[in-house]
Amino acid sequence: MIQNETRYGVWLMVLTTFIFATQDGLSRYLAEATNTTTIVMIRYWFFAFFVIAIARRQKGSIRAATATRQPILQAFRGALLACEIIVMVLAFVYLGLVESHAVFAVYPLLIGALSGPVLGEHVGWRRWTAIAVGFVGVLIVLQPDSGVFSPYAAIPFVAALMFAVYGLLNRYVARQDDAATSFFWTGTVGAVVTTGIGIFFWEPLVGWDWGLMAILCVTGAAGHFCMIKAYEVAEASAIQPFAYLQLVFATAIGLFVFGETLRLNVAVGTLLIVAAGLFTLWREKVKKAA
C-alpha cells in the first residue's frame, strides 16, 4: 500500500544510498582481489534468491511473477542492468570511486535527453539547457590535461548510458507490468547473464574475501529492500533528489578508504552535473503538478 510519509521515505533513501555506496567500495576491493565478473556473478546469485522471495510474497507464486506480455523487453532490461553493473565495477577498478561516480552522475540527464525519442515525451528548452549544462560538467571532469582523461574515462560514461536506457525501459514496461514482475525479471535474467559470462572467468575467493562477499550480498538485498520501502512510503519526486547522496558517500569512501584524490576540475564538474540533474527533477515535478 502506498503511503505518504515523506520524512520516513527521505531517511530510507539516505540509508539506501549509504548502503549502495558501501557496496561500491566492497565491489572495488573484491574485483581487484579476484576479478569483476566473478564478484558480480556471486552477487547476482544472492540477488536472484532475494528477488524470487519478494516476488512470491507479492504475487503469490513464481508463475504469477513471470507473467508478462513483453518477455523479450523484460529479458533485455535484466541483461542490460547486469552488463551495466559489470561495466561500472570495471570503472571502479580502473578509475576509482570518486571519478567513476562523477561521470556516472550524468545518467539522469541522459534519461531526459533520450525520453523524447524513446518514450515520445516532450522535453522543453529548460530541460535541454540543464542537459547541456550537465554535459559541460562532464567535459570539465574529463578535461584533457587531467589524469581522468584516458580511454578508461569512457567506462563510467558507457555505464551511465546503459543505466539511462535501463531507466527508460523501466518506464516503458511499467505501462503493462507492475513493479513486482519487472523486479523478478531483473534479478533472474541478470543472474543467468552474469553466470553465463562469469563462469568462464571464475576465480575462487580466499580467506576474508568470502566474508566480505557475504557482506556484499547481504547489503545488496538490504539496499534494495530499503529502496522499495522508500518508494512505498513517499512520493518518488520527493525522495529522488536524495539519491545523489550516493555520490557523496562513494566519494568519501574513495578518499578515506582507498586514498583517492579529488581534483578541482572533478569537484566543479560534478557540482554542475548534480545541479543540472536536480533542476531536471524539479522541472519534472512542476510539470506533473501542472
Side-chain angles (χ1 to χ4, degrees), residues 139-156:
L139 292 177
I140 293 174
V141 172
L142 303 179
Q143 64 181 21
D145 60 347
S146 76
V148 187
F149 192 79
S150 71
Y152 297 134
I155 300 176

Side-chain angles (χ1 to χ4, degrees), residues 20-195:
F20 284 159
T22 302
Q23 271 198 297
D24 293 341
L26 289 170
S27 295
R28 176 188 167 175
Y29 172 81
L30 289 169
E32 289 176 339
T34 54
N35 65 64
T36 300
T37 52
T38 296
I39 299 307
V40 177
M41 177 178 65
I42 298 174
R43 173 178 165 182
Y44 252 101
W45 289 346
F46 189 89
F47 181 49
F49 282 113
F50 172 71
V51 164
I52 291 171
I54 292 292
R56 288 189 64 181
R57 179 181 177 184
Q58 294 187 351
K59 304 288 287 187
S61 69
I62 293 178
R63 170 175 280 188
T66 60
T68 176
R69 287 182 289 179
Q70 40 194 354
I72 295 177
L73 197 56
Q74 286 284 16
F76 179 73
R77 277 182 57 259
L80 182 64
L81 180 63
C83 293
E84 182 273 325
I85 292 174
I86 292 174
V87 172
M88 195 60 185
V89 175
L90 280 173
F92 297 155
V93 173
Y94 287 110
L95 279 182
L97 297 176
V98 175
E99 293 164 359
S100 295
H101 273 282
V103 177
F104 186 76
V106 78
Y107 83 84
L109 301 176
L110 291 172
I111 290 177
L114 295 173
S115 61
V118 175
L119 298 179
E121 296 179 357
H122 173 70
V123 181
W125 68 269
R126 294 180 181 86
R127 290 174 67 186
W128 277 118
T129 302
I131 291 168
V133 170
F135 279 106
V136 169
V138 173
L139 292 177
I140 293 174
V141 172
L142 303 179
Q143 64 181 21
D145 60 347
S146 76
V148 187
F149 192 79
S150 71
Y152 297 134
I155 300 176
F157 185 80
V158 170
L161 181 60
M162 295 169 72
F163 194 72
V165 175
Y166 169 78
L168 290 170
L169 291 177
N170 283 344
R171 294 187 190 179
Y172 188 88
V173 299
R175 295 171 178 177
Q176 298 187 46
D177 295 331
D178 59 21
T181 297
S182 294
F183 197 49
F184 178 86
W185 281 84
T186 298
T188 53
V189 172
V192 172
V193 170
T194 54
T195 301

